Amino acid sequence: MQDGPAAWLARRISFGLLTLFLLSVVVFAGGQLLPGDVGRAILGPLADPRAVAALDRQLGADRPAVMQYLDWVLGILHGNLGQSLEFRAPVSPFILGALAHSLRLAAVALVMVVPLSIGAGVLAALRRGTLIDRVISLAGLSLTVIPEFVTSILVILLFGVWLRWLPISATWRAGTGLLGQLDHLILPAIPLVVVLFGYIARMARAGTVEALEADYTRTAILKGLSGAVVIRRHVLRNALLPTITVIAAQTSYLVGGLVVVESLFRYQGIGSLILAAAHARDFPMLEAGVLSVGAMTIAVTLLADALTAFLTPAPVPGEGG
Amino acid sequence: MSAALAIENLSVAYRARGEEREVLRGVSFAVPAGGAYGLVGESGSGKSTLALAALRLLPGAGRLTGGRVRIDGREPYVLDAGGLRRLRAHDVSMVFQNPARALNPSLTIGRQVAEAYEVLGWRRAEAEERAVAMLERVRIAAAARVMASYPRQLSGGMQQRVLLAMALAKDPLLLVLDEPTTGLDATVEAELIDLIAALRGELGTAHVLISHNLGVVARLCRRVGVLYAGRLVEEGPAAALLADPRHPYTLGLLQSLPSPGRRKDQGRLATIPGFPPPPGRPTEGCVFAARCVLADQRCRTEPPAAVDLGGRVSLCHYVERIPPLAHGTIRGVAFAPVGRAPTPAVIEAVRLSKTYRVGRRAVRALSDVSFTLGPGETLGLVGESGSGKTTLARLLLGLVAPDIGGEIRLDGVPLAALAANRGAAERKALRIVLQDPDSALNRAHTVRHLIGRVLRLAGLQGAARKRRLAELLAAVRLEPRHLAERPRQLSGGLKQRVAIARAFAGEPRVVICDEPTSALDLSVQAAILNLLADLQRDHGTSTIFISHDLSVVRFLADRIAVLYRGCLMEIGPAEQVFAGPHHPYTEALLSAAGMPGERRAPVRVASTLQGTREDGVTGCVFHARCPRRLGSLCKTVAPPVVEADGHAIRCHIPRGELGLAASPD
C-alpha cells in the first residue's frame, strides 16, 4: 500500500481510537456491570435494600447498561471522567495529578536507562566476543529477571537505610523544587532501570552487530573513513531504529504498570491510584484510571510508530515481475 | 613497478561452532597495475571470501591462517590502523554484489558520494561538486537529482553506478568488483559492463572481477582464476583458459553452459555429476575427485600439486588427459525430437490484461496478451523485471483474476478466472515450479510427504501410489534415501528436483517454470534443464518456461514470447526469433546477452530512472528506450502486430528493415 504520510497517520489514529473504544467497553463492562448491583457493592451486604435501591437510582445504576455506557462516554467526551464514590468529587483532578506523577517517574527512569543501555549495547557489539561483551550481555539478562520488588527493597536498604544518600519515600513536601523532587525520584527509578536495561541493551547490541556486518558499513570502511565516523554516521543511524520501538513499548509499562514500585516507595502515581480505587470499590475512579493508562499506551505506541516510520527507509515499491 | 595485487599462498578459515573451517587454501595469483583479473566459481567456492581477505575486511569469524597479501607492495595485514586507513582511502575500492545493501539506506546519495571526497581532504562544497562530476562520469544523466535522492529511490542499475562512482572517487589502483551485475536485468547488465570496461580504459585501474558468469569474465578480463571448494584449481590467460581448459572442473563448467544456438533436440547438456562440497569440509586428495570423470585412487588420496603449463597453472594430476576429454564427451545422448503436428491448443490465452491499483494510481502489469500453447510444446517467456512475466503466470494459475474481457481456455473450454472457482481436474492441469525451492517447499515435511501428498490428492492409493512415487523419484534422478529427508538436508539442485517431481506428480497438462534454474549454480543448472526436457518428452506435458537467460530459453523453447512492460512485443518459433527479423527490444536483449566468442556491434538501449513509467502512453511502450524509434509516430500511435510464418512482431518498422542476427564470423 502506497499512500501519503497523512493518510497513513489518519489510518493509525483511527485504529488507535477503535482500540480505545473497545477498551472503554471492556472497562465499563468490568467496572460497572460485573459487580451486579453497584449500590449493594458500595453499601455492603448488611445494608438496607431500600438504601441500596435509592443509591442505585441516584447513581443511575438501575437504567439499561447501554444507556449508562452512553452517558459515561458522553461525559468523558465532555471532559467529565466521572464522580468518585469515595471522595464524592470529580475524578479528573485525581487522575491528572497521578498521571503527571507517573510521567515524571517514567521520564526520570528513561533519562537514566536509555543512554546507559544503548551505550552498553553498542559497546558490547563493538567489542563482541570479548569479556566486556559477555559481562554486559550476562548482566543485562540477569538484571531483567529480578522482580521489581526485590530490587526496590535492596535499593531502599542500600541507599536509603544504610548509606542514607537519598530519601526512601518518593513523596516530597509541597513546594519542593525540581532538583529536590529529583532526589526523591532517583531511588524508585532504579528498579525500573534495572528491569529495562537488559531489554534495551540487547536490542541495541543486535542492531549494531547487524549494521556492523552490513555491506554499507564495509563500503564506508573502504572509503577510508575513520572508525568513529563509520560508527557514528553509518552504523548507529541504522542500528538503533528497532531500539526505538522497544523503548516506546516499555514506556507504556512505565506509565501504569508500576503498582509495586509506587506502593513500596509510597508514590502517588496512577498505578497506586488504580490499586486504591480497586480496594475502595471506587468504580468511576477505577474505570477512568484504566482508560487513561490505555489512552496513554495507545498514544505512546502511535508516537513510536510515527517516529520509526519517519526514520525508516521505506521499501522500494514492488513491481510485478 | 609492483603488482596492484599479489596474493601468495593465501589460506582463510572461519570459526563456526568452535570449529575452524578452512574455506580457502593455498591461493596464489597476481594482478598487474591496470590489469583485469577474473575469479570464477560457484556459490561456496570462496570467491567473496577471497576478495574480503585481500582487503582485510573479513567478518569477525574469519581469520587469515596463512599466506601474504600485497597491494601495490604494501601489506594490509602488516600495516597499522592509520596505514590501513590511508591505503583504503587512496588506493583500493570494492563494489559489492547487492547495491541496495551496499548503500547506507538512511543517507542521501550526495552525502555518501561526497564523503568519499571529504576523506581525501576536500571541503564539503568542493566534495559535492566533484561528486556530481563523478556521477556524470558513470553516465548518470540527472546527477543533481540523484544526489538528493535516497538509495531506495533509485533502480538497481542506478545504485550500482553510484557505487562505482564512490569506488572510483579516489582514483584507486585496485578495484574489486564482486558480482557487480548479478541480479540486474540483461540490458542494464550489458550497459554496466560496457561502462566498467570503458572506465578501466580511462583511469587505468586494476580490476578484480568476481563472477559466476563466464561470458562477463571473458569480455572484461585478461586473466582468469577458477575457484573450486577454496582452491584455485586453474589459472591463466582468459582466452586460452576458456578456449582450452586444462582442469576437468573448468571443462565441465564450460560444457554445462548451453552454448549459443544449442537446442534440446541436438543432445543433452553435459553435466558435472554430484554437487560441490560444503565449504570447509576437509578433503584428502583432490577437492574435485568426487565429481571428476578422470578421478582414480591417486586423486582421492594425494592432493595434486600446481602444474605449470607455461604462463598458466592447473591443479590436476592428469593435465595431459583433459584436451582429448573436451572432444570426447561433448555429444551426449540426443533427445528424441518432438514431433509437432497442427493440433488444437492446450492453452489459449485471449486478450489478457491485468491492472493493479497502487494507492490511487492504476498500474498496468499486463496489457492485451494473447497466445496459444500446443500439446507438448515449450513456450519460452522472456523479459526484464517488471515486464509482466510473473503476472502472466499468476493469471494462468488463477491466483489473480484478469481484467474484464480476458479469457483463458484449457482444451477449448473457458476457465474460471480464479482457481477457487475451477474444477479439481482443471486445477490439477496447471502446475508451477518456482525460482526458489526453499520458499516453495514446506520445511517441516519430508520429501516423501511433499510428493506423496500430491499423489494422494490425485486419488492414488496404496501400492499404486508407491509405484508412482518410485517412478517420479527415478524420473527426477533422486535416490530412495532422499524420501526420508527434509528440504534443509538437500542442496539447492536437489530441492529443485523435488519441486519438479511435485509439479509433475499429478500428471498436469501444463507446467509453468518460473526461472527454475536462476538460483542454481551452473553445473547444477545443466542437469535441471536436461531433466525438464526429458520429463516433457516422456509425459508430453506442455511447458511455459520463464527466464531472463536467453541461451537457456533457446535450449528448451520451441516458441518464444518477448514481453516488455506488460506488452507482447514478439512471439514466434524459437529459431526465427533468434535469427530475425526481430523486434528492436529483442535485438537489444540478444545483444546484451553477448556470449563468449561472439563478435557483433552491441545494440544498447537507454536506461530509464525507476518511477518514470508513464501512464496513458498512447504509442509503443518501448519508444522511450528504442534505439530505432521513428520520431513521434512511435510515441503517439500504437504499433501494429505484423505476422508472417507464425512469427508476430509488434512494431512500426517494416519487417524487411528490422534487425537480423549477425552471422558469426
Side-chain angles (χ1 to χ4, degrees):
Chain A
M1 293 288 269
Q2 278 300 108
D3 40 29
W8 179 86
L9 202 64
R11 208 169 58 233
R12 293 307 303 257
I13 288 176
S14 45
F15 271 126
L17 290 176
L18 181 69
T19 316
L20 205 56
F21 163 71
L22 292 175
L23 180 70
S24 74
V25 172
V26 171
V27 163
F28 182 78
Q32 208 128 342
L33 298 179
L34 284 188
D37 193 329
V38 178
R40 171 67 66 194
I42 295 165
L43 297 177
L46 300 176
D48 185 337
R50 273 172 304 175
V52 171
L55 185 56
D56 276 351
R57 193 163 323 111
Q58 189 193 336
L59 295 172
D62 57 341
R63 296 182 307 137
V66 177
M67 292 306 294
Q68 293 185 46
Y69 174 75
L70 283 179
D71 270 359
W72 182 59
V73 170
L74 278 174
I76 292 173
L77 290 180
H78 285 97
N80 174 17
L81 291 176
Q83 195 79 8
S84 163
L85 299 179
E86 195 189 0
F87 302 103
R88 309 274 163 194
V91 299
S92 306
F94 291 94
I95 300 281
L96 289 179
L99 265 183
H101 266 141
S102 282
L103 280 175
R104 216 167 299 176
L105 178 58
V108 171
L110 280 179
V111 164
M112 286 164 76
V113 78
V114 168
L116 201 65
S117 55
I118 286 184
V122 170
L123 183 69
L126 293 177
R127 303 258 182 282
R128 66 187 174 287
T130 65
L131 189 67
I132 296 178
D133 177 20
R134 256 168 247 158
V135 167
I136 289 174
S137 300
L138 202 69
L141 206 62
S142 343
L143 291 178
T144 302
V145 299
I146 304 179
E148 296 126 274
F149 62 86
V150 176
T151 16
S152 298
I153 291 167
L154 284 177
V155 164
I156 290 174
L157 284 177
L158 185 64
F159 296 105
V161 178
W162 293 336
L163 295 174
R164 292 183 176 280
W165 285 356
L166 292 162
I168 54 169
S169 160
T171 319
W172 53 83
R173 240 173 283 134
T176 309
L178 264 182
L179 225 58
Q181 295 184 10
L182 205 57
D183 263 0
H184 289 268
L185 286 174
I186 286 176
L187 273 197
I190 289 176
L192 308 177
V193 170
V194 167
V195 168
L196 294 186
F197 175 82
Y199 282 123
I200 301 177
R202 270 171 83 87
M203 282 306 287
R205 182 186 182 276
T208 310
V209 166
E210 196 185 320
L212 278 173
E213 305 248 306
D215 281 349
Y216 58 78
T217 303
R218 288 195 181 133
T219 306
I221 293 171
L222 272 182
K223 279 181 191 164
L225 297 170
S226 72
V229 173
V230 170
I231 287 165
R232 203 180 58 235
R233 202 180 289 163
H234 292 277
V235 174
L236 290 188
R237 222 188 141 99
N238 295 296
L240 297 181
L241 269 178
T243 315
I244 293 175
T245 324
V246 168
I247 293 173
Q250 299 307 326
T251 307
S252 48
Y253 149 78
L254 285 179
V255 186
L258 301 184
V259 179
V260 175
V261 173
E262 285 177 4
S263 41
L264 274 172
F265 289 93
R266 267 175 278 150
Y267 188 65
Q268 305 292 321
I270 190 85
S272 43
L273 184 73
I274 292 173
L275 187 68
H279 279 309
R281 305 191 177 187
D282 189 350
F283 298 113
M285 182 75 88
L286 185 64
E287 288 161 7
V290 173
L291 202 62
S292 56
V293 169
M296 187 66 84
T297 305
I298 289 165
V300 169
T301 311
L302 190 68
L303 203 68
D305 283 357
L307 195 61
T308 313
F310 175 69
L311 293 172
T312 310
V316 179
E319 288 198 358
Chain B
M1 194 168 165
S2 51
L5 174 68
I7 289 192
E8 284 165 40
N9 212 13
L10 187 80
S11 297
V12 172
Y14 278 108
R15 203 175 51 244
R17 278 182 241 112
E19 245 183 281
E20 288 246 310
R21 289 160 191 266
E22 196 167 53
V23 289
L24 284 175
R25 177 185 278 186
V27 173
S28 302
F29 68 93
V31 187
Y37 194 93
L39 277 172
V40 285
E42 299 179 282
S43 50
S45 61
K47 311 187 290 286
S48 297
T49 301
L50 181 50
L52 294 177
L55 304 182
R56 201 177 165 181
L57 270 181
L58 283 172
R63 195 168 65 86
L64 202 72
T65 51
R68 269 172 80 175
V69 176
R70 275 176 300 166
I71 296 171
D72 191 35
R74 282 163 289 170
E75 298 193 44
Y77 287 87
V78 174
L79 290 172
D80 61 5
L84 187 62
R85 201 163 69 231
R86 276 193 297 281
L87 177 72
R88 286 172 177 161
H90 297 281
D91 297 322
V92 295
S93 283
M94 179 159 175
V95 170
F96 293 93
Q97 171 171 355
N98 186 334
R101 284 207 299 247
L103 288 167
N104 186 335
S106 50
L107 295 179
T108 60
I109 298 296
R111 195 76 273 284
Q112 297 187 56
V113 182
E115 196 177 58
Y117 285 101
E118 284 165 27
V119 162
L120 302 175
W122 299 97
R123 266 201 300 268
R124 184 98 172 222
E126 290 164 328
E128 282 183 3
E129 260 170 54
R130 286 177 172 262
V132 171
M134 187 43 100
L135 288 180
E136 280 163 359
R137 188 147 197 191
V138 296
R139 327 287 195 255
I140 290 177
R145 182 148 64 94
V146 169
M147 288 279 284
S149 310
Y150 283 91
R152 61 175 182 275
Q153 295 166 315
L154 305 180
S155 67
M158 203 58 89
Q159 289 172 341
Q160 201 58 295
R161 280 161 202 267
V162 168
L163 278 165
L164 259 178
M166 263 161 47
L168 295 174
K170 61 189 88 158
D171 191 5
L173 287 164
L174 174 68
L175 172 61
V176 179
L177 301 142
D178 187 358
E179 303 264 12
T181 59
T182 306
L184 300 177
D185 278 325
T187 54
V188 179
E189 173 175 42
E191 262 184 308
L192 262 174
I193 286 171
D194 290 349
L195 176 64
I196 290 168
L199 288 172
R200 193 170 71 87
E202 289 168 29
L203 301 170
T205 312
H207 284 187
V208 172
L209 174 74
I210 296 172
S211 182
H212 68 281
N213 185 331
L214 294 169
V216 170
V217 170
R219 268 208 55 201
L220 288 179
C221 300
R222 294 193 200 147
R223 280 185 83 83
V224 179
V226 181
L227 269 174
Y228 183 80
R231 313 288 172 91
L232 203 59
V233 292
E234 185 170 8
E235 204 260 338
L241 188 140
L242 294 174
D244 176 23
R246 294 298 173 85
H247 191 280
Y249 174 64
T250 318
L251 177 69
L253 264 190
L254 286 166
Q255 287 184 345
S256 58
L257 273 180
S259 50
R262 186 73 186 279
R263 295 192 37 78
K264 60 185 170 185
D265 39 15
Q266 292 169 335
R268 312 168 68 90
L269 293 168
T271 60
I272 305 176
F275 301 96
R281 178 196 283 176
T283 34
E284 262 182 82
C286 172
V287 281
F288 190 58
R291 300 176 71 189
C292 183
V293 286
L294 293 176
D296 60 13
Q297 197 51 36
R298 183 179 170 210
C299 297
R300 280 184 274 273
T301 51
E302 183 190 329
V307 183
D308 194 333
L309 301 164
R312 55 189 292 197
V313 173
S314 172
L315 221 63
C316 181
H317 286 305
Y318 302 115
V319 177
E320 70 288 350
R321 294 198 208 161
I322 291 154
L325 201 65
H327 305 289
T329 57
I330 236 175
R331 295 269 163 255
V333 189
F335 295 109
V338 183
R340 260 184 297 128
T343 41
V346 176
I347 289 277
E348 284 170 84
V350 187
R351 311 205 59 150
L352 291 181
S353 297
K354 179 67 196 172
T355 310
Y356 287 105
R357 304 210 73 83
V358 180
R360 275 188 212 92
R361 240 154 42 92
V363 174
R364 207 115 203 254
L366 206 64
S367 80
D368 207 9
V369 169
S370 302
F371 65 89
T372 60
L373 179 68
E377 187 180 50
T378 301
L379 176 68
L381 211 54
V382 184
E384 299 176 295
S385 51
S387 64
K389 303 184 302 264
T390 302
T391 301
L392 183 54
R394 293 165 68 91
L395 288 179
L396 292 173
L397 289 166
L399 298 175
V400 289
D403 295 350
I404 303 295
E407 189 173 78
I408 301 160
R409 295 189 205 122
L410 176 68
D411 296 319
V413 182
L415 283 176
L418 288 174
N421 304 328
R422 294 179 185 172
E426 289 171 337
R427 278 204 298 260
K428 221 176 69 180
L430 283 151
R431 286 281 174 235
I432 188 162
V433 176
L434 294 164
Q435 173 176 354
D436 178 14
D438 274 321
S439 55
L441 301 175
N442 188 333
R443 286 181 303 170
H445 295 314
T446 60
V447 172
R448 183 195 309 280
H449 184 97
L450 288 166
I451 304 174
R453 196 179 131 77
V454 183
L455 296 176
R456 199 166 68 241
L457 289 175
L460 284 176
Q461 299 294 334
R465 187 156 92 212
K466 254 190 187 145
R467 199 166 52 242
R468 181 89 182 96
L469 188 60
E471 280 170 21
L472 275 169
L473 214 60
V476 297
R477 320 269 186 285
L478 285 173
E479 310 273 334
R481 68 186 160 89
H482 292 132
L483 279 177
E485 292 180 322
R486 287 170 213 279
R488 69 182 148 76
Q489 293 164 285
L490 304 174
S491 68
L494 287 177
K495 273 184 274 205
Q496 198 57 291
R497 281 164 201 261
V498 174
I500 290 170
R502 189 172 63 169
F504 278 86
E507 307 240 327
R509 303 292 316 275
V510 179
V511 171
I512 300 169
C513 299
D514 191 355
E515 304 261 11
T517 61
S518 55
L520 303 177
D521 277 321
L522 275 182
S523 67
V524 180
Q525 166 177 295
I528 296 287
L529 292 179
N530 282 340
L531 173 66
L532 283 171
D534 283 341
L535 281 171
Q536 198 196 353
R537 179 199 57 209
D538 297 344
H539 294 249
T541 316
S542 306
T543 308
I544 293 177
F545 189 88
I546 300 174
S547 180
H548 66 277
D549 186 332
L550 285 166
S551 46
V552 165
V553 171
R554 190 175 198 178
F555 176 76
L556 272 182
D558 303 306
R559 276 160 74 230
I560 289 178
V562 181
L563 280 173
Y564 182 78
R565 291 201 172 175
C567 282
L568 197 55
M569 307 311 275
E570 178 167 3
I571 184 168
E575 282 318 295
Q576 286 185 42
V577 170
F578 274 92
H582 27 230
H583 191 277
Y585 176 60
T586 315
E587 193 175 13
L589 275 181
L590 289 171
S591 167
M595 288 296 155
E598 206 175 33
R599 294 272 173 274
R600 66 158 121 180
V603 178
R604 295 292 186 255
V605 293
S607 55
T608 49
L609 272 172
Q610 205 174 38
T612 53
R613 180 184 294 219
E614 299 151 72
D615 294 324
V617 175
T618 52
C620 175
V621 286
F622 187 55
H623 80 268
R625 294 176 71 193
C626 183
R628 299 194 56 189
R629 70 177 157 270
L630 309 168
S632 65
L633 176 68
C634 292
K635 190 174 179 181
T636 51
V637 182
V641 179
V642 182
E643 191 182 326
D645 305 330
H647 180 194
I649 300 173
R650 185 192 291 267
C651 189
H652 284 297
I653 301 170
R655 208 178 175 90
E657 294 170 26
L658 284 170
L660 295 167
S663 52
D665 45 50

